[in-house]
Amino acid sequence: MSLELVVDAREGGVWLALLRDGKLIELHEEQGSTDFAVGDIYLGKVRKVVPSLNAAFVDVGYEKDAFLHYLDLGPQFQSLNKFAKDTLQGKQNVADLLYFKSEKDIPKDGKITEIVSTTSPILVQVAKEPISSKGPRLSAELTLAGRYLVLVPFSEKISISQKIKSQEERDRLRNLMDDIKPKNFGVIIRTVAENKKVEAIDQDLRNLMEKWKTMHANLRQATPPRRVLGEIDKTSSILRDLLNADFSNIHVSDEKLMTELKEYISGIAPGREKILKLYDGKLNIFERFGINKQIKTMFGKKVPLPSGGYLIIEHTEAMHVIDVNSGNRKGADGQESNALATNIEAAEEVARLLQLRDMGGIVCIDFIDMHDKENNKELFEKLKEFMRSDRAKHNILPPSKFGVVEITRQRVRPETDINTSETCPTCNGTGEVQASILFAEEIETNLNFLLADKKEKKVSLQVHPYLEAYFKKGLISKQWKWFFKYKKWVDVRGVTAYHLLEYNFLDKNNNEIAL
């Protein structure tokens, strides 16, 4: 298995595509504004306490108040609240908690009215980004995530990832953290810390302590609502969480961004900078790696399967419904084996789709009916295996007697939704378009203007793949006729991201030529 990250720097932000063995598994858009991202820490103001919900609504600067439930306050809320108030009043002048006197833990079954009061300032962290008509979901149990560790202020607990199986290694990491962690700070040791040197883990801890100091410094001058610590950008967070030996290449389309990434990687994984590669090809980077085609395939209502079957995906506010269809697939071994093969193929694609489109909440999958219990059991085990690489928390129920599998998947960000349908640019949906032969003639007329009248030295043409095929068709194609006429070769490139009647001319520097 090899992982590749493709980073496309665009005018409105940065698009990130994570590929596993060439297949798109994650797609993220990083816009200029990253407010209310998961992990951001805010100084908010309590607007309303609702006893019936055992929750409070907090103003953190979003258009709608954020939601904070009692269970999300965390056991050490009183200590955090005291730290925040003392910092705002100038009594807590240092970020260090060495001499900080912790308060008692709050009861697990307590009432929020006894802990939180209206209009009081409160230090909170975004647990879920604003989704649909809902504001952010908050937590008052602050955590700072690093590459190897997660720092938990006002706690002394050392937790170790369950994926680290070796008892000897667990003991080594626990003894190490006992020696180096500061007082009144707990840590969660992540899976990637396994077998890592003391120096690397210690440096990660130092970096997290610096982030805590930055938050404290920002808090001293803050008035609610105010962000006091921002999470790192998505590019860096993906590298922080996923960068390992499986990462083979990181392709970046922008030199400045590549320099920033090289500096970041040298800090978290010295020696791995060589996997960074600057892309300077003629085609758009997403086009070059086949990402645009995969986006159009994977984000529609109907998603094809390699064997000829397909998925139909419907969305509602509360849940997602996926229907599995065999299409024209016919198995030689009968209906049952054909259904099993299609279902397993669909299960693998569904696991990829949930991660790619970041579909959360309740997901119901209507697989093709199978009568053999062993086949249903095999399908269930395969689905769990395919979902194992998903970083979001999820739970899978066995197939019901109707053959429906239910999945609950953690939803912390809005679903990635890309409209893959295209409105005709000529008819604007009326159903009548300019005759295609006339459109081809329009392109040739403009080409003649550029080469014969403007005397452009080199011209390239970007069109929809259908038009590319038309211009290249035959032994003496249109492309060759242009060469004989103008004594210049016109490079014709098909771009799947273009709609049918879209085209552009590029000069020798790959800049668009204005007509």
Side-chain angles (χ1 to χ4, degrees):
M1 182 185 74
S2 69
L3 289 174
E4 289 185 292
L5 184 65
V6 180
V7 185
D8 185 13
R10 304 180 186 178
E11 191 173 329
V14 178
W15 279 85
L16 314 167
L18 186 63
L19 307 177
R20 182 192 292 131
D21 298 329
K23 284 188 174 182
L24 183 64
I25 58 170
E26 286 190 31
L27 184 69
H28 302 277
E29 181 185 9
E30 185 180 302
Q31 297 175 334
S33 173
T34 55
D35 289 348
F36 312 107
V38 173
D40 285 357
I41 298 177
Y42 282 82
L43 177 66
K45 178 178 281 190
V46 179
R47 290 285 292 271
K48 188 192 301 181
V49 178
V50 186
S52 59
L53 297 175
N54 205 18
F57 288 92
V58 182
D59 177 16
V60 290
Y62 188 66
E63 57 192 43
K64 294 192 174 182
D65 290 340
F67 183 78
L68 175 65
H69 194 273
Y70 179 87
L71 296 176
D72 294 321
L73 290 176
Q76 299 88 27
F77 176 74
Q78 296 285 37
S79 298
L80 173 68
N81 206 32
K82 176 186 173 185
F83 175 83
K85 286 183 177 179
D86 286 354
T87 301
L88 291 169
Q89 294 169 5
K91 298 177 182 177
Q92 181 73 31
N93 295 317
V94 294
D96 198 292
L97 301 180
L98 183 61
Y99 301 107
F100 182 83
K101 187 177 179 181
S102 296
E103 299 291 310
K104 287 184 179 180
D105 289 359
I106 63 173
K108 290 182 180 180
D109 55 352
K111 305 294 183 185
I112 197 164
T113 49
E114 299 169 0
I115 307 296
V116 176
S117 58
T118 308
T119 72
S120 62
I122 186 171
L123 201 57
V124 288
Q125 189 168 32
V126 177
K128 285 186 181 181
E129 293 178 11
I131 297 173
S132 187
S133 59
K134 300 174 183 176
R137 177 81 182 251
L138 303 177
S139 170
E141 194 168 12
L142 306 188
T143 57
L144 302 179
R147 177 151 171 77
Y148 304 118
L149 308 171
V150 177
L151 190 68
V152 186
F154 311 105
S155 169
E156 292 286 356
K157 188 176 179 182
I158 299 174
S159 303
I160 303 175
S161 167
Q162 293 182 352
K163 292 182 180 179
I164 300 178
K165 303 296 183 183
S166 168
Q167 189 59 48
E168 184 181 345
E169 178 62 11
R170 294 176 71 88
D171 291 341
R172 181 187 79 92
L173 291 170
R174 188 179 299 278
N175 292 334
L176 168 62
M177 292 315 306
D178 271 332
D179 291 338
I180 65 174
K181 82 171 185 64
K183 186 182 177 183
N184 281 327
F185 284 95
V187 293
I188 302 170
I189 302 174
R190 307 181 71 173
T191 309
V192 288
E194 188 172 12
N195 298 321
K196 290 296 182 292
K197 294 181 179 178
V198 176
E199 294 83 356
I201 297 175
D202 182 57
Q203 185 58 50
D204 196 41
L205 180 62
R206 290 174 186 270
N207 293 341
L208 292 175
M209 288 304 299
E210 284 300 317
K211 287 179 70 174
W212 175 255
K213 289 176 182 177
T214 301
M215 189 280 296
H216 174 261
N218 293 337
L219 179 63
R220 294 179 68 180
Q221 312 297 328
T223 53
R226 175 83 177 273
R227 184 170 69 170
V228 292
L229 187 68
E231 179 59 288
I232 59 176
D233 57 68
K234 287 183 180 177
T235 315
S236 301
S237 67
I238 287 176
L239 293 176
R240 179 193 68 194
D241 295 343
L242 293 180
L243 188 62
N244 55 29
D246 294 331
F247 246 103
S248 55
N249 292 302
I250 301 172
H251 304 276
V252 189
S253 65
D254 181 76
E255 194 169 353
K256 182 183 176 184
L257 184 57
M258 180 172 170
T259 304
E260 293 174 3
L261 288 178
K262 185 175 285 189
E263 185 178 336
Y264 179 74
I265 291 177
S266 65
I268 65 168
R272 296 301 308 279
E273 304 93 331
K274 59 185 178 183
I275 65 175
L276 272 166
K277 296 178 181 177
L278 180 65
Y279 176 79
D280 57 358
K282 294 179 181 179
L283 282 177
N284 173 273
I285 190 169
F286 270 28
E287 194 72 29
R288 162 64 181 80
F289 288 94
I291 296 167
N292 283 333
K293 183 179 178 182
Q294 292 192 59
I295 288 173
K296 288 201 171 187
T297 302
M298 305 300 291
F299 280 87
K301 177 180 176 181
K302 182 177 179 179
V303 177
L305 299 174
S307 67
Y310 57 92
L311 307 174
I312 298 294
I313 303 174
E314 295 284 358
H315 305 279
T316 70
E317 181 71 22
M319 67 191 303
H320 309 277
V321 180
I322 302 175
D323 184 37
V324 180
N325 294 273
S326 60
N328 297 321
R329 177 174 183 156
K330 293 180 180 179
D333 300 328
Q335 184 177 349
E336 184 77 9
S337 62
N338 181 41
L340 176 61
T342 303
N343 282 341
I344 290 176
E345 184 182 53
E348 183 174 9
E349 202 69 352
V350 165
R352 180 159 75 110
L353 278 171
L354 295 182
Q355 192 172 347
L356 176 60
R357 292 164 70 152
D358 210 1
M359 294 160 62
I362 301 172
V363 182
C364 288
I365 310 164
D366 183 13
F367 285 103
I368 300 170
D369 288 344
M370 297 186 295
H371 303 291
D372 192 331
K373 288 184 178 179
E374 287 301 315
N375 287 342
N376 280 304
K377 184 178 179 182
E378 183 180 349
L379 172 62
F380 180 56
E381 294 301 323
K382 284 286 186 183
L383 182 57
K384 288 197 293 184
E385 179 186 329
F386 296 141
M387 290 287 291
R388 201 164 289 142
S389 62
D390 194 343
R391 290 181 291 154
K393 293 178 183 177
H394 58 269
N395 187 35
I396 309 171
L397 296 181
S400 69
K401 63 180 181 179
F402 301 114
V404 176
V405 172
E406 295 174 62
I407 299 175
T408 58
R409 186 175 183 274
Q410 182 185 32
R411 179 166 62 174
V412 296
R413 295 182 179 88
E415 179 190 345
T416 305
D417 186 21
I418 297 176
N419 185 9
T420 57
S421 61
E422 299 174 358
T423 301
C424 173
T426 304
C427 75
N428 291 320
T430 63
E432 296 181 356
V433 299
Q434 175 186 0
S436 56
I437 190 66
L438 296 179
F439 183 69
E441 286 183 3
E442 177 188 315
I443 292 176
E444 291 193 78
T445 301
N446 286 328
L447 182 64
N448 183 72
F449 169 71
L450 293 174
L451 294 176
D453 298 344
K454 289 191 70 177
K455 307 295 182 184
E456 289 282 350
K457 292 182 179 180
K458 183 174 176 57
V459 173
S460 299
L461 173 63
Q462 289 188 326
V463 290
H464 189 278
Y466 282 160
L467 280 167
E468 177 196 19
Y470 170 73
F471 288 133
K472 292 181 175 181
K473 182 182 178 182
L475 187 62
I476 306 297
S477 64
K478 288 278 187 183
Q479 193 178 26
W480 276 105
K481 287 179 181 178
W482 296 339
F483 178 71
F484 295 141
K485 181 178 180 179
Y486 302 112
K487 302 298 185 290
K488 292 175 183 176
W489 183 255
V490 179
D491 187 20
V492 181
R493 308 170 192 163
V495 181
T496 55
Y498 279 13
H499 53 65
L500 185 59
L501 302 184
E502 182 179 2
Y503 67 95
N504 276 310
F505 291 107
L506 306 179
D507 60 20
K508 61 181 181 180
N509 297 318
N510 282 319
N511 295 320
E512 187 178 331
I513 302 174
L515 294 170

